[in-house]
Amino acid sequence: MSEWKAFTVEIADHVARVTLIGPGKGNAMGPDFWRELPEVFGELDADPQVRAVVLTGSGKHFSFGLDLASMAGTLAPVLADGAKAAPRTEFLKEIRRMQAAVTAVAECTKPVIAAVSGWCVGGGLDLIAAADIRLAAADAKFSLREAKVAIVADIGSLQRLPAIIGEGHLRELAYTAKDIDAARAERIGLVNEVFADQDAVVAAAHAMAGQIAVNPPLVVQGIKDVLEQRTSPAVTEGLRYVSAWNAAFLPSTDLTEAIQAVFEKREPQFKGE
């Protein structure tokens, strides 16, 4: 495997373990993450020795989501007053590049099991929504946080979570941007099972991956391919729609206020402008 800045990858007994390592605090998702994620899963997909993948985070948390500080340059051109077609088009391309990075996880022919402990926020939730199976530690907390920062979530949660948790639960999480704990996540079907702590959830994910890996690999891959046909066309259409929507409507006074409030560590004051 290649060397990575945002991940470590270990392979043993036909199971690959992919660990988010930042470098942002709480494994926040910066430029290295978005560039490397499709490369990592492309290599795993092409490796015949890999039959299942465990995806987890280093340290106490899975991921704090988008690294606003390191990704600010992506937003700046389209947030400029009177942004014209050129910066909006470039922003559209950037959204679709980030969408494609997470979609690489969903399209990996090997089943992916996410093992979550600590915070799983925003982009972290997008990422685990693209996994096949999600397991959690008892301290895990989940949040579809984008509404709090004046953004329509556009990397996959709104498209993939309806099939996982249902419309009602998704709308509640998306509209309120509230946090939920592991117990609530299990009740609504976001995670399959909750374990005592981080070590236990990672061990459980590896045990499940091992159960998958002893089955005929092409049959397992065929099952995943057949299952994906039920949802992937709607996900693809939804991702294209939301990327165009955000390229057109994301710039706002509320978004600028939300970003300033994050850096100033205060509550934002939204005006609907």
Side-chain angles (χ1 to χ4, degrees), residues 102-188:
V102 171
T103 295
V105 177
E107 291 183 345
C108 179
T109 59
K110 322 301 173 60
V112 179
I113 304 168
V116 180
S117 59
W119 281 105
C120 179
V121 178
L125 192 56
D126 292 319
L127 181 58
I128 68 166
D132 294 88
I133 299 163
R134 288 149 295 279
L135 307 176
D139 70 345
K141 293 183 179 180
F142 304 85
S143 181
L144 186 53
R145 187 71 60 86
E146 283 83 350
K148 286 187 180 293
V149 289
I151 295 174
V152 175
D154 57 7
I155 309 298
S157 286
L158 299 185
Q159 291 71 37
R160 294 188 172 97
L161 286 179
I164 298 169
I165 65 175
E167 287 282 348
H169 292 303
L170 171 59
R171 289 171 187 261
E172 178 186 348
L173 297 184
Y175 296 157
T176 65
K178 69 197 299 182
D179 306 331
I180 63 169
D181 61 15
R184 173 76 190 278
E186 184 179 25
R187 287 198 300 273
I188 66 176

Side-chain angles (χ1 to χ4, degrees):
M1 292 291 292
S2 304
E3 293 293 326
W4 312 104
K5 294 181 179 180
F7 303 90
T8 61
V9 180
E10 304 168 81
I11 300 173
D13 300 323
H14 298 297
V15 175
R17 177 171 170 177
V18 177
T19 305
L20 283 65
I21 59 173
K25 182 179 179 182
N27 304 316
M29 300 168 168
D32 291 333
F33 172 89
W34 298 107
R35 182 182 65 257
E36 292 178 353
L37 181 63
E39 296 174 359
V40 168
F41 276 85
E43 288 196 16
L44 295 175
D45 196 38
D47 188 343
Q49 294 303 310
V50 175
R51 299 183 180 182
V53 180
V54 172
L55 177 63
T56 192
S58 62
K60 295 180 180 180
H61 303 287
F62 183 79
S63 179
F64 287 173
L66 186 69
D67 188 340
L68 282 174
S70 67
M71 297 295 288
T74 300
L75 292 173
V78 78
L79 290 180
D81 288 341
K84 303 297 184 181
R88 291 177 186 272
T89 299
E90 289 305 310
F91 185 63
L92 175 64
K93 292 178 181 177
E94 183 66 14
I95 295 172
R96 289 181 175 172
R97 183 180 71 85
M98 295 166 69
Q99 289 177 340
V102 171
T103 295
V105 177
E107 291 183 345
C108 179
T109 59
K110 322 301 173 60
V112 179
I113 304 168
V116 180
S117 59
W119 281 105
C120 179
V121 178
L125 192 56
D126 292 319
L127 181 58
I128 68 166
D132 294 88
I133 299 163
R134 288 149 295 279
L135 307 176
D139 70 345
K141 293 183 179 180
F142 304 85
S143 181
L144 186 53
R145 187 71 60 86
E146 283 83 350
K148 286 187 180 293
V149 289
I151 295 174
V152 175
D154 57 7
I155 309 298
S157 286
L158 299 185
Q159 291 71 37
R160 294 188 172 97
L161 286 179
I164 298 169
I165 65 175
E167 287 282 348
H169 292 303
L170 171 59
R171 289 171 187 261
E172 178 186 348
L173 297 184
Y175 296 157
T176 65
K178 69 197 299 182
D179 306 331
I180 63 169
D181 61 15
R184 173 76 190 278
E186 184 179 25
R187 287 198 300 273
I188 66 176
L190 178 59
V191 300
N192 287 22
E193 193 170 353
V194 177
F195 298 85
D197 54 29
Q198 184 179 40
D199 289 342
V201 72
V202 171
H206 274 277
M208 185 180 293
Q211 292 176 316
I212 293 170
V214 298
N215 287 332
L218 297 182
V219 169
V220 172
Q221 292 168 33
I223 292 170
K224 179 167 182 174
D225 184 47
V226 170
L227 290 173
E228 287 296 315
Q229 296 310 304
R230 296 183 300 115
T231 56
S232 60
V235 169
T236 299
E237 181 180 352
L239 288 172
R240 288 187 63 82
Y241 183 86
V242 73
S243 62
W245 198 98
N246 268 355
F249 299 116
L250 181 68
S252 68
T253 302
D254 282 346
L255 177 57
T256 302
E257 165 65 9
I259 294 173
Q260 289 177 344
V262 168
F263 287 112
E264 295 171 6
K265 297 181 179 179
R266 61 173 174 81
E267 288 298 315
Q269 300 295 318
F270 296 129
K271 299 179 180 179
E273 299 176 353

